[in-house]
Structures are given as structure tokens and as C-alpha cells.
Amino acid sequence: MYTRFSTYFRFFSGIIIVLMSIWLAILFKPGTLPITYIKNQYHILLILLVSWIAISILFKKYHLGSKRDLRRTLPAVLRINIIIAGVTTLTMYGLRELELSRFVLFTTLITGTFLELVFFITYKQLVHSKKIDDSLQDFIDTREALARELVMQKRIKAPAKKGRHPVSSHISSYIIQESGEEVYHLIDKHFDLTADDYTILSTTTRFNVLKLADNYFNAIANLKRINDIRYVNKFFEAINSKMDAGGLFIGCVETKNMRKRRIMRKFPPVLNVIYYFFDFLFKRLAPKFNITKKIYFFLTRGQNRVISKAETLGRLYSCGFDVEEVTTINNHMFFVSRKIRKPYKDTNPTYGPLIKLLRVGKNGKEFYVYKFRTMHPFSEYLQPYIYKHYNLKEGGKFKNDFRVTTIGKFMRKFWIDELPMLINWVKGEMKLVGVRPLSTHYYNLYNEELKNERTKVKPGLVPPYYADMPSTLDEIQASELKYLKAYQKHPFRTDWCYFWRAMFNIFFRKARSE
């Protein structure tokens, strides 16, 4: 009931703002009597008023103030008002017999936008001043105080025996108020809510994590989505540092596909495609390049960023967590992960189109292979997860590999992604024909005999796979072992024959690496 009243209040306030803006625009128009102007132009002013209100309702402007913070509400108001300006201008141009002063039109748009921004800021401060429900924040503070008190009293990092208490009805209500019943049931399924070894957070800053008692919690849940966290890995590392080995961490994210689905449902046809196109350019492509990345994070501060499923899980694995369960609740992906080690320290992560991947080379020495990115960022950490939850298909590839992007599938089909490997060839790290350079995880799937033979020669750009076209992992190993033994006896002749057999299969039998 309160939500409906708030929406009506914002709606009628919007009408008043538009009427005030029109009146002020007419009032300040040089050489114009307001009453006379309104009598002569009432029909066109009515069109302006109806267009403004209709587009605002269509794009749900009057729903913005209820759940969003100001950093998301204000840009949304600006975007909607830009659409209003465009539609109104085109309407006035099409109805040339109805002449409206440009001064009145644009003054109304500018004044109305300014007044709406002031209204939303004031409304948010008065009605929705806190990001977290007071009761939830009290619950967090209470548990943190309890943890600090136990540490000070016992002078140990964690109590030898955890205390137990009945599950408070307040705990469930706090979680349900913040995220809904399904989220509470997920947490209740994995956490022992009768113990004192867990905490519930609703934060987007690692500061609130770092102030928790050191190494006390065996379970931590964060109800805020990671899309609004500026430094995601630093946040995960902070969670890792505050948990015992084997502790559980539950969090959530709106993935790239979920975001697209939300946008397509939110806006009407055609407009949703246009909106998603520009959203993709700004939110997805801009952060990938060094120049635009700085501008993007300066403007957004990392809020409402686009993150794929693969990137989310990859970041978790890189920060020392093993993902045990993934589920969808309220168009958000919730993950249940377990701490298995300390985080990796990747001081030079790659997000751009050109990447370096660590591979096993001659004599077992690791080197970096250059490729165009075909997978989402941090996908390189997910090979154990993919191998655990998915099956290998023909060709030894992972089945249903969600790590590969849409454009990545196209690039792989025509080997565009492997063109930068020519750099490795020029540097002498690879040869033209040879076994494919493998990651450590994939390399360890091979039998010992083949692993030993592989380290005797350099990997190659054109693997024997294209010459023999094996289907299973065992057949791939047999094909590579056959090639390696033949190469040791007749290096040049073997590479010559394998090269032309591979070219024949590629061009005439449509052999592909997907």
C-alpha cells in the first residue's frame, strides 16, 4: 500500500513539475503575455504535457525513487528526459501547422529536468535515506560486536567450541526484507543459523568486511550484488581473509544475460534494442580498453557494471573459493562457494582484446601464448570447475562452454583468435606444425607417456588434430603421440605431410576447432 501511494505521489508531483516548467518558460519568454500565449497555444502545450507524462509512465520514471539509490536514479531520469526531448521535437517538427516557440520548448525541457532531479534528490533524502534496513544494520552491528567481544575475552582467533542458540525469527525477517524468502531459504540450507560462527552482510565496500573480527566466521553471506562493487577481487579477498578454511561464502550477481533479459522486458520493442545497444557500448565495451576504462570508472565508480557468469565464477576461483552451487533467484545468480586456499596474486590481469595465456612448452617450461580474447575475463581460472560440472565433447573441447563469448565463437570458427600466436612463432617459442600448447590443467589430463613426449618438442600453430580429426580425448592423445614419435624420426617430412593434410581437412572438409 505504501509503495503504491509513493508511486502516485511521484506521478502527481511530476505533473505539477511539468506545469510549473511550462509556466516559467512562458513567463520568461520575451515580449509575451502568459495568459494570451496559453489561450493561443493551449493545444500544442497540451500535446507537450501529455507526451511528457506518457513517456515518463512508459519508461517507469515514477517507479525510480522506490528501490534505487541516487547514483542510479538520476542518470535514469536524464536518459528518459532525453527521450522526451527527442520525441517532442520530432512531434513538433511533424506538426508544422502547430507552431511552438523553440524557447518555450527547450526552456520547459531544461527547467523540468532540473526540477525533477531536485525532486528525486529531496525525496530520496527524506523517505529513503538509508541503503540498508535499520533492523538489518542493527543485526550486523550486534554480531560484529559479539565477535569482537569473544576475541578480546578469550584472546584467540576463533573459539574452540561454537556457541549455539535457537534461530531468531528476526534473522529470517531481516533477510526476507532485504532479499526475499527464497534467498533466506538458500542461506538457511547452507548455514547453521543456530551457531555463532556466521554473519550476514549487505554491503558494497570491503571496509565493512575488513572491520569484522579476524578469522572468526565459518560462513558469510552478502546480500548486495557484486555489480555495484568497485573492486570485486579486493572484496572477495577481504571475505577470504575473514573466514576459516572450508568456510562458506554466499553472494549474488546480475549476469550479462540476466541484464539483457531485464532491459528487453523493461522497454517496448525497438526502443529496447536501441537502449541495449548503447548500454553494451558503454557498460560492456568501454571497460575493456585502457583509454575508455578510466573514463568509464570515473563516471560510474564501478556501479551497475556488467559482469558475466564466467567472470563472476572466475573471480571467485582466483580469490581462493570453490563454487559448489549456482542458482537463479529474482533474476539474479546466487553462488555458494567454499574457501579452499588463499587468493592468487595476479598483479597484471587482462581484460582487453589481446591476452596472454600461460602454457606448457618445451622442456616443461611455461611461456605466454598471445591470442585474441574469445572468453570472458577470468575464464582461465575456471578449467577445474568446467571439467567438474560439464563433459568433454568430440574434439576434447568442453561441452556447453559458457566461457566463450558470442564474438569469440565467430573468431574461433575462422581462427582469427590464433593470429597473434604468430608472435610466439617469430620469438621461437613455437613452430609451424606441432602439438597444441596446453594449460597446466589440460596438460595434466594426459597420460604420463604423452606428457613426457610433449615436453621434448616445441608446440605448434597447426596441431595434428586437423590432420587426423580425432573425436575423444583418448583419440587426441593417440594422434599426438603418433605425430611426436614420427617427428623424432623424420622432423621435416613429418611436418610437411601433416601440414598439407591439415590444410586439406580445413578447406575441403570444413574442419573447425569449436
Side-chain angles (χ1 to χ4, degrees):
M1 185 68 183
Y2 173 76
T3 303
R4 182 178 298 178
F5 173 78
S6 300
T7 303
Y8 287 149
F9 174 74
R10 291 190 294 271
F11 171 72
F12 287 112
S13 298
I15 295 177
I16 295 173
I17 287 173
V18 179
L19 292 174
M20 287 177 57
S21 302
I22 295 175
W23 174 258
L24 290 173
I26 298 172
L27 187 65
F28 286 100
K29 187 178 187 302
T32 301
L33 293 175
I35 301 300
T36 304
Y37 189 88
I38 292 174
K39 288 182 179 180
N40 295 333
Q41 301 289 340
Y42 73 91
H43 46 295
I44 197 66
L45 294 175
L46 183 62
I47 292 176
L48 175 59
L49 174 64
V50 171
S51 299
W52 188 298
I53 299 301
I55 295 174
S56 297
I57 294 174
L58 182 64
F59 287 93
K60 300 181 179 180
K61 182 197 294 184
Y62 304 117
H63 293 267
L64 294 176
S66 57
K67 296 181 179 180
R68 296 188 173 198
D69 57 33
L70 288 176
R71 285 174 292 186
R72 299 176 61 193
T73 299
L74 300 186
V77 172
L78 288 173
R79 287 195 297 268
I80 295 172
N81 284 11
I82 290 173
I83 296 174
I84 292 173
V87 172
T88 306
T89 303
L90 291 175
T91 302
M92 301 307 171
Y93 180 80
L95 302 175
R96 295 183 180 180
E97 65 278 5
L98 302 177
E99 296 183 359
L100 178 66
S101 169
R102 294 179 182 177
F103 177 85
V104 173
L105 174 61
F106 290 107
T107 302
T108 299
L109 293 170
I110 294 172
T111 306
T113 300
F114 174 75
L115 292 177
E116 283 189 333
L117 293 177
V118 172
F119 168 77
F120 276 103
I121 292 173
T122 306
Y123 179 84
K124 196 72 176 180
Q125 293 297 323
L126 294 177
V127 182
H128 298 280
S129 58
K130 293 186 178 181
K131 292 182 180 179
I132 305 175
D133 185 88
D134 288 338
S135 57
L136 179 62
Q137 186 61 57
D138 292 340
F139 168 67
I140 294 171
D141 293 340
T142 301
R143 296 196 65 82
E144 291 176 0
L146 174 63
R148 288 194 295 270
E149 181 181 350
L150 288 172
V151 172
M152 292 299 295
Q153 290 178 354
K154 300 184 178 182
R155 299 290 183 179
I156 56 176
K157 293 184 177 180
K161 185 177 181 181
K162 309 295 184 182
R164 310 189 70 80
H165 55 78
V167 179
S168 171
S169 60
H170 295 294
I171 296 176
S172 60
S173 65
Y174 299 149
I175 299 174
I176 292 172
Q177 287 175 25
E178 183 77 5
S179 301
E181 290 188 16
E182 290 186 76
V183 176
Y184 168 73
H185 290 312
L186 176 68
I187 294 175
D188 184 47
K189 173 184 174 183
H190 294 278
F191 287 13
D192 182 1
L193 298 181
T194 64
D196 288 325
D197 60 353
Y198 74 93
T199 190
I200 309 295
L201 301 174
S202 185
T203 182
T204 58
T205 64
R206 66 181 185 273
F207 171 80
N208 292 331
V209 178
L210 293 174
K211 71 177 184 179
L212 296 172
D214 290 344
N215 302 325
Y216 175 74
F217 299 104
N218 279 332
I220 298 177
N222 185 35
L223 304 180
K224 291 293 185 182
R225 61 180 197 166
I226 67 172
N227 304 77
D228 296 322
I229 298 176
R230 173 64 179 89
Y231 300 101
V232 179
N233 274 37
K234 294 293 184 182
F235 186 88
F236 287 165
E237 290 170 4
I239 294 287
N240 186 295
S241 68
K242 301 303 176 183
M243 299 182 70
D244 293 330
L248 286 177
F249 169 46
I250 295 179
C252 68
V253 61
E254 183 189 47
T255 65
K256 176 179 67 70
N257 293 336
M258 292 173 175
R259 180 187 183 89
K260 180 180 180 180
R261 184 162 55 247
R262 173 173 60 82
I263 291 175
M264 290 301 177
R265 291 175 178 176
K266 179 178 180 181
F267 298 105
V270 180
L271 285 178
N272 55 10
V273 176
I274 296 173
Y275 183 95
Y276 179 74
F277 173 75
F278 287 103
D279 182 81
F280 178 83
L281 291 180
F282 181 67
K283 293 292 183 70
R284 193 65 184 159
L285 290 186
K288 306 302 181 185
F289 300 93
N290 290 331
I291 298 177
T292 55
K293 179 172 68 174
K294 295 179 180 179
I295 300 175
Y296 167 79
F297 282 110
F298 174 78
L299 294 175
T300 66
R301 298 181 181 180
Q303 297 289 314
N304 196 27
R305 65 201 297 181
V306 181
I307 304 179
S308 65
K309 175 183 177 181
E311 181 177 348
T312 300
L313 302 185
R315 286 179 181 272
L316 285 167
Y317 270 87
S318 72
C319 293
F321 294 96
D322 177 44
V323 179
E324 296 189 347
E325 181 180 339
V326 172
T327 186
T328 301
I329 301 176
N330 299 329
N331 201 44
H332 282 71
M333 185 187 81
F334 280 78
F335 52 81
V336 180
S337 59
R338 186 178 299 277
K339 176 180 175 178
I340 56 176
R341 54 169 171 77
K342 292 183 178 181
Y344 287 129
K345 294 296 182 181
D346 189 354
T347 57
N348 188 30
T350 57
Y351 303 95
L354 183 64
I355 60 174
K356 297 187 300 182
L357 302 175
L358 201 61
R359 295 292 184 259
V360 180
K362 186 177 181 180
N363 298 322
K365 182 180 178 181
E366 292 185 324
F367 70 104
Y368 283 103
V369 168
Y370 296 92
K371 297 185 71 175
F372 285 127
R373 179 178 294 282
T374 59
M375 292 186 175
H376 295 289
F378 288 89
S379 293
E380 59 269 24
Y381 293 100
L382 279 180
Q383 286 191 340
Y385 175 84
I386 296 292
Y387 187 74
K388 176 182 177 182
H389 293 85
Y390 298 83
N391 298 318
L392 291 176
K393 67 174 186 178
E394 290 189 359
K397 296 289 184 177
F398 290 119
K399 187 178 182 181
N400 302 321
D401 197 344
F402 61 86
R403 300 173 300 169
V404 183
T405 64
T406 302
I407 191 172
K409 295 176 182 178
F410 172 81
M411 295 174 70
R412 286 187 172 195
K413 185 174 182 179
F414 298 99
W415 296 282
I416 299 174
D417 62 310
E418 298 185 357
L419 290 178
M421 292 173 66
L422 292 171
I423 299 174
N424 298 106
W425 180 59
V426 173
K427 293 172 64 176
E429 297 169 331
M430 298 178 64
K431 57 194 187 76
L432 182 61
V433 179
V435 293
R436 187 189 300 272
L438 298 177
S439 65
T440 302
H441 175 79
Y442 211 140
Y443 174 78
N444 289 330
L445 296 178
Y446 283 16
N447 59 58
E448 291 299 323
E449 180 185 8
L450 180 55
K451 287 162 67 175
N452 292 332
E453 293 295 332
R454 269 180 148 269
T455 57
K456 294 179 181 179
V457 298
K458 295 178 181 179
L461 300 177
V462 181
Y465 167 84
Y466 293 111
D468 297 332
M469 298 302 298
S471 297
T472 65
L473 181 60
D474 290 336
E475 290 179 3
I476 291 176
Q477 294 186 69
S479 171
E480 291 189 355
L481 187 60
K482 174 185 172 184
Y483 162 79
L484 291 170
K485 290 186 175 181
Y487 180 81
Q488 293 175 13
K489 295 179 180 178
H490 306 286
F492 178 79
R493 186 174 71 184
T494 300
D495 281 357
W496 176 267
C497 294
Y498 270 82
F499 177 80
W500 291 112
R501 285 169 56 191
M503 292 300 105
F504 178 82
N505 287 334
I506 289 172
F507 290 107
F508 294 99
R509 294 184 177 178
K510 306 297 181 182
R512 294 293 183 268
S513 64
E514 318 103 294

